[in-house]
Amino acid sequence: MQHPTIIKPHENIAHAPLEQNGLNSCKTIYLQSTPEELVELALKEGEGVLTDAHALMCDTGTFTGRSPKDKFIVRDELTEDLVHWGEINNPITPSNVAKIYHKMQDYLNGKTVYTRYAYAGADEQFRQPIMATTTQAWQGLFCHHMFIRTEEDELADFSPQWTILCIPEFQAEAKTDGTRQGNFTIIDFSNKKILIGGSGYAGEIKKAIFTVMNFILPVDYQILPMHCSANIGNSLNGQPSTALFFGLSGTGKTTLSADPSRELIGDDEHGWSAEGIFNFEGGCYAKVVNLTMEQEPEIFAAIREQSILENTRFFPDTNKVDFSNISVTENTRTAYPIHFISNACHPSVGPVPDHIFFLTADAFGVLPPLSKLTTEQAMYYFQTGYTAKLAGTEMGINQPVATFSACFGEAFLPLHPKTYTQMLGERLEQSGAQVWLLNTGWISGPYGIGNRIPLAYTRALLHAVLDNSLEHVQFDKHPVFDVMVPQHCPNVPDTILNPEYSWLDPEEYERKAWILKEKFDVNALRFAPER
């Protein structure tokens, strides 16, 4: 049998994992290629074009976001009683996965692939060695950016615990392979494999590994995995102080953690161990719709040579990106290594957090811009995972829609949400960390009547917490949600701190607040004990 041609930057790189994972039939394997090489290969293969900032702009094809209904977990002896099966975690049989895997290996016969050795987890005690193989150079570059990069002296005897095989061009046969349709993401915890096919959306790669970490860290290490960003700065006593930012898409998780006055630990995925916080990733994957230098200078500056842009478009007759153009999707994104953020800390670890922020873009306009939570309330709002999305306007309907995603990332939780909620409560009790609810949505009325709270006010509220400016401020209990609301905050008008006072009609405010509270209570019934 003819062996593949392996193109690599130097001789001292382990080959055994390639053979062990069925890549012998490939024509060419680009192993551990540099970012410069991967950009050149992507351009040569017509996978993308360069922008005026020399970033690589690519399209992801039919799928411009994740396809949650097409993510599967192998149901076997290991996962049968541990995984929370249902709408989020779809089962697939080991025999069907074996069938798909062999078809994917056959598909690679005579093909070119791009393989990378890397890690998930910045804490060396808990990191997971990964081998990621893709059929597209730009996705190989994505893996370079998003995973934690290996040191040269680690490559000679590198032994991956997890392998990823991503073939966007490969389609499953739903009727015989046990999938819903042609595209799929399959996680096999027993064999430690991730199979992705039929989708060119690179976010499937990163979120599959996040799902893996959400299983193995609680089960094997009693570590709390979290869908959050994190940064670190100095407290008043000069000691490093970590802050966490939980939130669903569009709530400001990436924006608020990219603070020039603090060092970035990571923008999306972290673990909380007994020693502190650690990032799972080696890069950032930020939304860029309507991105400007003025609003988000750190992210804007990170889009440069070797960075990736997904599904963006140029201004006519230029190679300058029009970040307001959503003709392909609103989910336009950029991927870059974390050191492209000038104030990123290395390694991506920090001490146990002092402050935790739950971000919500409340389009009903009834939640306070900032409120303090008890541990019990923190567990409730964590398990609730609330934000509000705007309904489609095709028929003139502009009413907000309440959205709940347990632990601010239900789509990535293999275990029951109660598991993660209980772990959070235990860590809050042990650490004494203070949890805050930060509304980055609407004030002075709901969407269509009120206005979105200015980012400058949100940042002022955030900084007031972090520099202890609220330590001697009086807090009042909110009449509907029972959270504690500050009466004053530097650089923020008092009139907007309690939303009841900023509405023209206080009675209408109270009515809308109780409507949202009822939605919270109905959602909480999902987690009520079974009778």
Side-chain angles (χ1 to χ4, degrees):
M1 181 175 62
Q2 184 176 357
H3 290 283
T5 299
I6 302 175
I7 300 174
K8 53 191 176 176
H10 57 83
E11 288 299 317
N12 200 24
I13 303 179
H15 286 187
L18 306 177
E19 300 171 4
Q20 293 164 0
N21 288 281
L23 299 183
N24 286 337
S25 65
C26 294
K27 178 183 178 181
T28 306
I29 300 174
Y30 285 92
L31 176 60
Q32 217 66 14
S33 300
T34 66
E36 295 86 352
E37 291 168 338
L38 290 168
V39 170
E40 183 178 342
L41 288 163
L43 293 173
K44 179 181 177 182
E45 295 299 322
E47 297 175 2
V49 294
L50 292 182
T51 72
D52 62 340
H54 302 286
L56 180 67
M57 193 169 84
C58 303
D59 282 358
T60 63
T62 303
F63 292 91
T64 58
R66 292 179 300 99
S67 183
K69 292 182 179 180
D70 297 301
K71 187 185 80 172
F72 302 89
I73 293 176
V74 178
R75 190 168 194 161
D76 57 17
E77 290 184 5
L78 173 62
T79 59
E80 176 69 44
D81 297 326
L82 290 175
V83 169
H84 180 50
W85 303 106
E87 291 184 7
I88 299 298
N89 298 306
N90 305 300
I92 191 169
T93 65
S95 60
N96 277 331
V97 175
K99 191 189 311 179
I100 292 170
Y101 182 50
H102 289 310
K103 288 181 180 180
M104 294 178 79
Q105 287 181 308
D106 290 342
Y107 179 89
L108 291 179
N109 185 31
K111 301 289 196 306
T112 295
V113 297
Y114 308 87
T115 297
R116 179 153 301 276
Y117 299 153
Y119 298 104
D123 189 323
E124 293 188 8
Q125 299 179 79
F126 312 114
R127 69 184 186 183
Q128 301 295 307
I130 296 167
M131 185 182 90
T133 298
T134 74
T135 53
Q136 296 184 351
W138 82 267
Q139 289 199 342
L141 181 64
F142 180 88
C143 292
H144 170 274
H145 292 348
M146 296 311 303
F147 295 136
I148 294 173
R149 291 157 288 281
T150 52
E151 299 293 336
E152 189 171 315
D153 60 4
E154 297 174 321
L155 295 173
D157 55 357
F158 190 86
S159 178
Q161 292 294 307
W162 279 86
T163 58
I164 304 169
L165 180 57
C166 179
I167 310 178
E169 314 85 42
F170 177 86
Q171 296 280 331
E173 299 175 56
K175 290 184 178 180
T176 57
D177 292 339
T179 58
R180 188 177 72 98
Q181 51 188 20
N183 65 298
F184 58 87
T185 295
I186 297 170
I187 302 173
D188 184 344
F189 284 104
S190 293
N191 294 302
K192 297 186 175 181
K193 281 184 168 54
I194 295 171
L195 307 179
I196 302 172
S199 172
Y201 182 64
E204 296 283 14
I205 299 173
K206 101 180 208 88
K207 289 307 187 186
I209 282 292
F210 184 43
T211 303
V212 166
M213 299 295 271
N214 280 331
F215 182 87
I216 62 178
L217 289 184
V219 172
D220 295 341
Y221 302 102
Q222 290 73 57
I223 290 174
L224 172 63
M226 304 174 293
H227 188 212
C228 70
S229 58
N231 64 23
I232 187 169
N234 288 328
S235 61
L236 290 179
N237 62 9
Q239 296 300 310
S241 176
T242 301
L244 305 182
F245 303 83
F246 290 85
L248 301 176
S249 179
T251 58
K253 182 160 55 76
T254 298
T255 299
L256 293 175
S257 61
D259 186 333
S261 67
R262 297 170 64 84
E263 292 186 345
L264 179 69
I265 299 174
D267 82 330
D268 197 41
E269 304 170 4
H270 294 82
W272 186 344
S273 71
E275 290 77 25
I277 302 301
F278 63 96
N279 192 356
F280 293 167
E281 301 182 296
C284 301
Y285 192 43
K287 295 188 75 169
V288 296
V289 61
N290 296 321
L291 179 71
T292 65
M293 172 65 88
E294 293 72 28
Q295 290 286 340
E296 300 179 82
E298 291 79 17
I299 296 171
F300 194 94
I303 301 175
R304 53 188 173 90
E305 189 173 4
Q306 299 174 20
S307 294
I308 300 169
L309 283 166
E310 288 183 356
N311 299 314
T312 51
R313 287 295 179 263
F314 293 138
F315 286 104
D317 302 319
T318 75
N319 63 344
K320 179 180 175 63
V321 179
D322 177 4
F323 290 108
S324 67
N325 188 321
I326 56 172
S327 59
V328 178
T329 176
E330 290 189 18
N331 189 35
T332 52
R333 288 187 177 267
T334 180
Y336 48 83
I338 194 168
H339 61 260
F340 278 21
I341 297 291
S342 60
N343 60 333
C345 67
H346 183 77
S348 299
V349 299
V352 169
D354 294 314
H355 294 285
I356 299 171
F357 298 91
F358 293 165
L359 310 178
T360 175
D362 175 32
F364 292 88
V366 297
L367 287 179
L370 179 72
S371 47
K372 184 189 293 186
L373 307 181
T374 64
T375 295
E376 184 179 3
Q377 288 173 332
M379 293 174 68
Y380 175 82
Y381 280 99
F382 182 68
Q383 191 162 263
T384 299
Y386 165 72
T387 193
K389 294 184 178 180
L390 303 179
T393 58
E394 292 82 357
M395 300 300 293
I397 300 173
N398 295 316
Q399 294 301 309
V401 177
T403 300
F404 301 99
S405 180
C407 311
F408 298 96
E410 191 168 1
F412 319 117
L413 304 182
L415 310 179
H416 196 288
K418 288 182 179 180
T419 302
Y420 308 96
T421 302
Q422 185 62 39
M423 292 182 77
L424 176 72
E426 292 169 355
R427 276 150 182 74
L428 292 178
E429 293 289 354
Q430 294 163 1
S431 67
Q434 178 61 58
V435 182
W436 306 81
L437 187 64
L438 192 64
N439 176 17
T440 61
W442 274 254
I443 56 174
S444 305
Y447 173 81
I449 298 175
N451 56 280
R452 191 153 191 181
I453 184 169
L455 180 59
Y457 290 168
T458 300
R459 289 195 187 279
L461 291 163
L462 182 60
H463 290 155
V465 169
L466 296 175
D467 65 16
N468 293 325
S469 295
L470 302 182
E471 188 173 0
H472 302 295
V473 170
Q474 180 176 332
F475 283 71
D476 296 329
K477 181 176 287 190
H478 191 277
V480 177
F481 298 101
D482 290 335
V483 296
M484 301 303 291
V485 181
Q487 286 190 347
H488 306 287
C489 178
N491 302 311
V492 180
D494 292 349
T495 53
I496 74 166
L497 292 175
N498 190 325
E500 181 180 5
Y501 303 141
S502 67
W503 279 52
L504 293 177
D505 185 346
E507 291 185 359
E508 178 66 7
Y509 167 78
E510 185 173 357
R511 187 180 75 83
K512 288 290 180 66
W514 279 111
I515 289 174
L516 181 59
K517 178 64 166 60
E518 184 179 358
K519 292 180 184 294
F520 276 53
D521 293 340
V522 170
N523 176 71
L525 294 176
R526 294 197 297 145
F527 307 108
E530 296 182 4
R531 294 183 179 180

